[in-house]
Every structure is written in structure tokens, then in C-alpha cells.
Amino acid sequence: MVSFCSVISHSFHCVPLPTPNTSHFVRRNNPLRCQYPLSPHPSRFLRLPWGRESPSTRIRASITDVSVDVAVEIKRLPKGEAWSVHKFGGTCVGNSSRIKNVADIIINDDSERKLVVVSAMSKVTDMMYDLVHKAQSRDESYVSALDAVLEKHSSTAHDLLAGDDLATFLSQLHQDIGDLKAMLQAIYIAGHATESFTDFVVGHGELWSAQILSLVIKKNGTDCKWLDAREVLIVNPTRSDQVDPDYLESEQRLEKWYSRNPSKVIVATGFIASTPQNIPTTLKRDGSDFSAAIMGALFRARQVTIWTDVDGVYSADPRKVSDAVILKTLSYQEAWEMSYFGANVLHPRTIVPVIRYGIPIIIRNIFNLSTSGTKICHPSIIGDEDRQILKNYVKGFTTIDNLALVNVEGTGMAGLPGTASAIFGAVKDVGANVIMISQASSEHSVCFAVPEKEVKAVAEALQSVFHGALHAGRLSQVAIIPNCSILAAVGQKMASTPGVSATLFDALAKANINVRAVAQGCSEYNITVVVKREDSVKALRAVHSRFYLSRTTIAMGIIGPGLIGSTLLDQLSDQAAILKEEFNIDLRVMGIMGSKLMLLDDDTGINLDKWREVREEKGEVANLEKFVQHVHGNHFIPNTVLVDCTADSVIASNYDDWLRKGIHVITPNKKANSGPHYEYLRLRALQRQSYAHYFYEATVGAGLPIISTLRGLLETGDRILQIEGIFSGTLSYIFNNFKDGRVFSEVVAEARDAGYTEPDPRDDLSGTDVARKVIILARESGLKLELSDIPVENLVPEPLRVSASAQEFMQQLPKFDQELTEKLKDAESAGEVLRYVGVVDVTNQKGVVKLRRYKKDHPFAQLSGSDNIIAFTTRRYKNQPLIVRGPGAGAQVTAGGIFSDILRLASYLGAPS
């Protein structure tokens, strides 16, 4: 086997070296020599194309040498705020038009001096890694793949360059391709590529893009030099995926490079660097961003601008939270925290070089130059306008998915030194990455999160290390909880601000999300929780919404699109835009279900302007179970409410199950609260024990605040003595007009024709509806009554209660007018009126529904139309009852009452009030 080394100068020389057993480097009399066991073909020498901008420099090394053959005038590097650093990623230089756009941005930048760090063209780095993979797998297609790399850069150069510039670049490109072909052939024969060989191959993408961009800038009349960063940037590998810059050595090399290549515009390669032994290496993941930050520190630049394809740093992943906002400013620590926990901001290490000199990093969108992007800097240099943003202590949220929790638990752990060391020593030995640690102060257990792909090895290692302790019972278990995600909230001094943690956990609880573990450090920048993976997006949306960074979004299912339900849908449609724009509330109707058909839609919600037509066109057979699953099963919307606009007891029987699942329930349906007392108590208990709300204001007074008034009295310590009221809009209308010699059947027919009664007026005249309202108020007041305990005066004549139809009832009703006519005459002769009322006698723990007489100056006698009126006699309002009066019937007011409950729910879930 024959070894090779490149000797780089203006004309390339190749010096064969003795064959070693392993790859290594030796320094002899400075210059350096490198020994590579590459190819069995001594005629194939590897040329490493470095130092192209320094024809007077002769280098015998893998990268560069500091010896200079001829004297040159020393030009010192002017450091400081005159320099502006720009970094352009692969997407920014993805094709010839984008490279020209980058050149225009640099030329138009009014900074005195500019350093540009550039990545390989889009997809090229992957193509270069693929070349190495194919070669070491002995896949001969690496040859054609290399030809594709050549064609991509050759065609780009032809688009952008001409004349000598084009000829020079193509000559160097073909030479590089020839060198790569020789190296790949050697890798193909060996069936293996060392890390340094791989890094050398992969780094060519940056070399080519930097040369092309520098020539395009130079073509426009701007003095520009290009810099192979391997000549100046020295790093020390610390582990397989990380390197530490050697700033002192890098500064010295940069000074020497600049003395030979002074220029006000420098285009440097990103991603690539050298070891102290001049071996090619890379800066690993997100290396070009890291390169830009290091260069910013070396040049002491005014700022570092990272050009990308997004408008800046978002408060949350916009793919998961559509209403995520661009953050104008972030502190270094906030950006670091968000990066660590998975936000697509910067790699955490990118921030480290610039912190020392307080150099701001600007994240900008190359495809949207009108936006200012996000500034990452020290809080002390944030402007007054941006400083106001810092008062929002929570700046953003981010998630990491595909994690598992490992819980090591046992009473033998408490107070035993070395347990944590043994746990994490075992984790280190298997090379696992610990994302988060949580330990109770009792030391009874230690819980930590690792990537799910590593948890099996971690569990086996812990079982082995603690085998004796588990067998002896000192440790009870090493438990694995799979399918987890981390949710992190990040903000300046967030953890030290009272109420932030409470708000975070309240938002998660109201979205029915269980927290499995919590970690909060003393850094005051981060609160981390672990949730089920399936709840990850839902949790993210819930907390983001709760902290006023986006709309409070609620998934709604409307059951019963009859008169009241359809009116509610019309009201929602009319107010949707105003609620979004002015109140930050996004109500999305995900489903509408009637007795026969249902209409379902995805997470954008049903178009309420056309729901009737769409239901006829796309409606499917009604299925309550499927309907609920669809509305609630959307993990992208944190809150779900079902609105039952029916009077169906079967639908009402599902409330219990819905509340247990964390689904909020709003209804005007009286069946649940007036059913068996134990069921009422169970629903109220569920409401108190969970964060699922159950609102039913419209069950008693349509749109009138009857339930809320009663609760307000009780919660403030008042004692209810009696509640008396006209609770039926239908019967209010009938008895308000049953006067002046009119007969009862005539008034009932008039009310039916006007739409005030049910299709069968007996449903109103029976008094059952009023009795249900009385029992609801009685139970809200603390009475343990059943519906059967309420005496009801039925206004339907007994012979007509079994009539075959409503029409037959109306035909026969005039025959029974005499009884009520006599009652009316007796009342009028005494200066009184007849009113059909319900009474809750809390003092005597009973209720009644009956026809009563009232003096004409009584508030109940002053009603008109279909108004309801309710009088609360309490300890505070004993001599003069508290009166609530207003419309108590009609689709508009009932739907309005339901709508009010929906908005109350939104307020409880975090919408600004």
C-alpha cells in the first residue's frame, strides 16, 4: 500500500511518503506532513485544493502552513463594529438566481466591511455524504453521483459567470472532482472511510459555493476575496458530535491570512474547519451557523445576521400553532433555552461565541426582506419598544417528541450518597442523552427523560447496575414510561414571577392534559413538563393560547340544529370575525348533528354561512359516538365543548361521560338537571372535581341571568328564602292577554299561531316545563327534591290530556273555557290578575307550580308580551325582593343565552375578558 500527501502551492506538488500502519500526522522541520493510507496505486496522488488565494504560500500539510516564501507587506486585520457578518444557508444559495440575490444583498449592505459565511448549495451536503456512503459500500454508482455534483455546480457557474472567472472556476472544479474521484476510489477499494476523509469530501460543497459567490460579487465591481475556513478556523474535537473552537490559534491564523488577502468583503466557507494537527473536520450539526458566530467573535463584528427561509423566531412552531407570532427580541439565554428544547431557532452552541462580546444575532428571511426578523441579544441593549415585550415573561413554547421517562424508585434511595451518580453513570456508559431530570426532595425517586430509541439500553444498564438493590428491595422498580413529549415554556425571569407556573398548569388542566413530570431550574428561564406524546400539540396550543399569544380556540359540536340550534349557528356566524379580531376567541364548529343527519369537518371548522346546504350535500347518517369522537378527537385544538340544543333525555344521559373525558357541556336542555337527584349531584360533583365546565343558564330563563344571579347570591354568603317567578314565556303571553272578556281557548290559539307555544300547546299548558325549572332552582338552592315532589296545576282539562292530536285538542278546548273564565272574573272583580307561577319555598323546603292571583300593582302584574320575571327573596333582599325581568321565550333570546355561556367558557379557558 502506498501513502499520499498533498503539497500545496501555486502549482500543486505531490510527495509520496512511507506507508504507515495507521493514519497519523508528523511534524518535521515545519512544514507539516500528513500520512494517509489511501490507494494501492502509487501513480494516483491526491491533490488537496487549499490556499488558492495565496499563490506565494507553499504548504506541506493536510491544510495549511504558516511559512511564507516571499516577503509581503503586513496588513493588520481591523476588528470591530465596522464588520457585519452574514450567514446564508443552503436554501439561500440553492440555485443561480438565489446566489445572485445573495450577492445583491451583500452589495447593498451599507456596512463598511462585510464577512459572508456560506453553506453548500441546497442538497449538496447530502449528495457528498451519499458519495462516501456509496463508495464505502462498494456501490459503483458513486461515479455517476459525482458526475451529478459536477453538473450541478458547472451549470450554476455557466449561469452566473463568464470569461476568465468562469474558466478559472471550472478548471478548479474539474481538478477537485478528479481529486475526489481518486479518494472515493480508494475508499471504494478499502471499503471504509475515516471521519477525516469523510469530512474532507463533504467540505467541498462549501468551497465551491464560496468561490462562486465571491466571483459573482467581484463581477459587480466590489473587491471581494474568498476564505477557505480550514486555513484559519481551528477546533478541538471533544466528542463525535461536538467541537470546541481554539480562539487564540484561530485569531493568529486569521491575522496572517488577512495580511495576505486584505479586503472589505470576504466570503468564507461555513461548516468546515481544521484540527490543531491540520486535519480537515467539520463543525457538525448546524455548523454554518456556528461558523458565522465564531467569525463574528473573531472579527468583533457589530452583528451577525443569519439568513434563512422563515421570518424570525416564533413563539411556537407555526406548523403546530397556526397563530404563533414572531418574537421581535430574545435574550441570549431565552434563545439558548428554546434551541435546546427543540425550537427551530439556532443550535445552542451557536450563541456561545457571541455572548462574550455582546454581539447581536439577527434571524431574517431572505425571501421576505420587508420583515425585520428576530434580534437575539443581551437585555441591556434591547430598545424601549422591545423592552416592553420582556414584560411578557413567557416568550415562547417548544416541544420535543419521541421521548421516554425512566423512573428509578425505592425507599432505599433516600439519603444514600452515590445513588444519582450510579444512575447517571450507567446512562453515560451506554451513550444515552438525558434531556430532563426531575427528583423529589424526599429522594425517594429519580425521574429523567431520554430519547425513546435509547431507552431500552438505559433500562438494561440500570437493571444490571442495581440488580442487587432490586433483589434486596432497596429499590422497588426501574420503570419505563414510553410515548412521552416534553413541553418547555421559556421566558426572562419567568420562574421567579408569581403566577406563571400556576397559569401554565391551569391551562394544561383545563385542556384535560395530565402532567407526568416537572422540572424547573434556578436559571429562571424555563419550566419543563412531560406529557403524553399524543397530547403534545394539544398541550402546546393550550398553553400558547392561555398566555395571550394566540386566540383561545375551542372545538364545538352542535347537537340539535332545530329552531334554537340553527339560530345559535346563525349568531355564531355573524359574530365569528369580531370574536377573532377583537376578543381573540376562535370558535370552530367541527360538527352539527340532527336526529337523522350529521355534518363533520376538519380542524378548520364548518363554514357557518353555508352549513345547511353543505349538510344536505355532504351529510352522513347521524351517529352520536362517531360525532363526539370527531369533535373531541382533534388533538390540535386543546378545548372541546358540546352544545346540546335538544330536549332529548337520551342525549342528556351522556353528559356524565362527556365531562369525565374533559369535554365541556353547554345546554338549554332541562332533562339532566331535573332528572333523578343523584344524577344531578353526580354532574355537579364532576364539574367541581375536573376542569370540564357544565353551563346551563338557558335551562331556566332562556337569555336571562337566573342561574348566575342565584349562584352569586349564594357564593357571597346570602341565604335564599324564596324564589317566585313566571318562568314560561308561553304562559306569560297567554295570561298577559287573557283579560277584557277574552276566552282562554282564543288566547291559546293566538299564541300558537304567533309561534309562542310548542307545536302541541299541551306541552306548555301542562306545567311540566315550569316544574322542571322550579326543581332546577330548588336544587341549586340546596334542596333535595325530586320532580315528583313538586305539585303542578295542570291547565289542560283532564278529558283532553289523552286527545289523539294537537289539532283535536285545539278543537275541543273551547268546551272547557268556563272554568278559567270564572277564575278570571273573580280576580278582576278583586282588582287582581291571574299569573301562572312557580315557587321555590326554601324555608319550608318545598316547591309548587300553580295559577295565582296578584294585585295590579304587583311586579308580576306589570308584564307584557312573553316576558319572564323572577323574584329572589333572601336575607339581604327580604323586604324588597331582587327582581330579574326580561324576554323569557323565543329562539333568539334562548340562543343568546347559550352563546353567553359559550363566551363565559372561553373566558374561563383564557380569553381576555
Side-chain angles (χ1 to χ4, degrees), residues 617-862:
E617 180 183 345
K618 298 182 179 179
E620 55 188 279
V621 176
N623 182 308
L624 183 60
E625 183 178 352
K626 181 179 179 180
F627 178 84
V628 174
Q629 174 59 36
H630 174 83
V631 176
H632 184 53
N634 189 323
H635 293 291
F636 292 94
I637 300 179
N639 305 294
T640 303
V641 60
L642 293 176
V643 182
D644 174 19
C645 296
T646 74
D648 193 328
S649 58
V650 175
I651 299 294
S653 67
N654 289 277
Y655 295 175
D656 180 289
D657 181 58
W658 296 343
L659 291 171
R660 290 182 189 277
K661 291 178 178 177
I663 301 173
H664 308 290
V665 177
I666 294 175
T667 185
N669 187 343
K670 294 175 276 292
K671 297 296 174 63
N673 285 3
S674 62
H677 186 252
Y678 72 88
E679 290 185 1
Y680 167 82
L681 293 178
R682 186 170 61 197
L683 289 175
R684 290 302 309 275
L686 272 174
Q687 184 183 19
R688 286 190 294 267
Q689 293 167 9
S690 70
Y691 281 92
H693 293 283
Y694 174 41
F695 294 153
Y696 44 87
E697 184 72 74
T699 58
V700 174
L704 297 180
I706 306 303
I707 300 290
S708 55
T709 299
L710 174 57
R711 285 189 177 173
L713 293 170
L714 292 171
E715 289 168 1
T716 57
D718 203 352
R719 185 162 63 89
I720 307 299
L721 303 178
Q722 179 177 282
I723 304 171
E724 183 179 14
I726 298 173
F727 295 103
S728 168
T730 301
L731 293 171
S732 175
Y733 178 88
I734 289 173
F735 282 98
N736 287 338
N737 290 277
F738 183 39
K739 59 185 179 180
D740 300 331
R742 300 188 66 183
V743 295
F744 186 71
S745 60
E746 176 189 336
V747 178
V748 171
E750 178 183 281
R752 184 171 185 249
D753 292 341
Y756 285 111
T757 73
E758 295 292 335
D760 188 338
R762 288 175 293 183
D763 293 339
D764 299 296
L765 298 175
S766 67
T768 303
D769 185 68
V770 176
R772 291 188 183 278
K773 296 177 181 180
V774 168
I775 199 67
I776 290 171
L777 291 175
R779 290 172 175 176
E780 292 287 311
S781 302
L783 302 186
K784 299 178 180 179
L785 297 178
E786 298 288 353
L787 186 60
S788 58
D789 295 329
I790 307 296
V792 178
E793 183 175 346
N794 193 333
L795 298 180
V796 180
E798 189 168 349
L800 301 184
R801 293 174 190 176
V802 293
S803 297
S805 67
Q807 187 64 34
E808 182 182 345
F809 164 74
M810 292 303 299
Q811 291 174 351
Q812 297 295 322
L813 184 59
K815 298 178 181 178
F816 300 90
D817 281 337
Q818 185 62 35
E819 181 180 353
L820 281 173
T821 298
E822 291 177 0
K823 288 184 178 182
L824 177 61
K825 287 181 180 179
D826 290 344
E828 288 179 338
S829 63
E832 296 174 338
V833 298
L834 294 177
R835 295 292 184 262
Y836 194 80
V837 300
V839 180
V840 179
D841 186 348
V842 179
T843 303
N844 296 306
Q845 299 188 7
K846 64 181 183 180
V848 65
V849 175
K850 62 184 300 184
L851 192 63
R852 278 188 172 182
R853 289 162 51 170
Y854 293 91
K855 293 293 185 182
K856 291 186 177 181
D857 60 352
H858 192 278
F860 285 15
Q862 308 300 315

Side-chain angles (χ1 to χ4, degrees), residues 188-369:
Y188 176 89
I189 294 170
H192 173 70
T194 65
E195 183 178 355
S196 59
F197 285 2
T198 301
D199 288 345
F200 171 72
V201 172
V202 170
H204 277 73
E206 278 71 19
L207 295 170
W208 297 324
S209 63
Q211 291 176 75
I212 292 174
L213 179 59
S214 67
L215 290 170
V216 173
I217 293 173
K218 189 182 297 183
K219 186 177 74 171
N220 285 273
T222 302
D223 178 38
C224 180
K225 300 287 175 60
W226 82 277
L227 165 63
D228 180 351
R230 294 175 298 186
E231 296 186 36
V232 300
L233 185 50
I234 305 303
V235 297
N236 293 295
T238 57
R239 60 188 192 198
S240 62
D241 63 344
Q242 191 167 324
V243 295
D244 287 340
D246 184 336
Y247 289 101
L248 181 59
E249 178 66 19
S250 297
E251 284 197 25
Q252 292 174 355
R253 295 197 181 200
L254 178 60
E255 289 278 3
K256 291 175 181 178
W257 183 92
Y258 188 84
S259 71
R260 300 189 301 271
N261 304 276
S263 180
K264 289 189 175 182
V265 180
I266 300 171
V267 178
T269 56
F271 184 58
I272 56 178
S274 299
T275 69
Q277 296 77 29
N278 295 315
I279 302 174
T281 189
T282 67
L283 301 184
K284 316 307 176 188
R285 179 189 167 200
D286 293 318
S288 292
D289 287 354
F290 196 20
S291 295
I294 296 170
M295 289 296 184
L298 293 176
F299 280 82
R300 311 293 193 269
R302 183 180 78 256
Q303 67 182 31
V304 176
T305 302
I306 307 292
W307 293 90
T308 180
D309 57 358
V310 294
D311 288 340
V313 181
Y314 285 86
S315 54
D317 187 339
R319 295 168 298 182
K320 299 176 181 178
V321 181
S322 60
D323 298 318
V325 298
I326 297 292
L327 301 173
K328 292 185 178 180
T329 60
L330 283 173
S331 70
Y332 293 123
Q333 291 82 359
E334 288 170 335
W336 192 93
E337 292 279 357
M338 292 185 71
S339 298
Y340 178 81
F341 285 99
N344 187 22
V345 184
L346 295 168
H347 194 280
R349 63 184 177 163
T350 303
I351 301 166
V352 175
V354 299
I355 291 179
R356 179 180 178 184
Y357 301 104
I359 301 170
I361 295 178
I362 314 295
I363 310 295
R364 291 195 64 186
N365 189 349
I366 193 170
F367 304 114
N368 186 8
L369 299 181

Side-chain angles (χ1 to χ4, degrees), residues 408 412-425 443 446 466 475:
V408 182
M413 293 174 58
L416 183 63
T419 302
S421 175
I423 292 172
F424 295 110
E443 301 181 356
V446 175
F466 293 106
L475 289 184

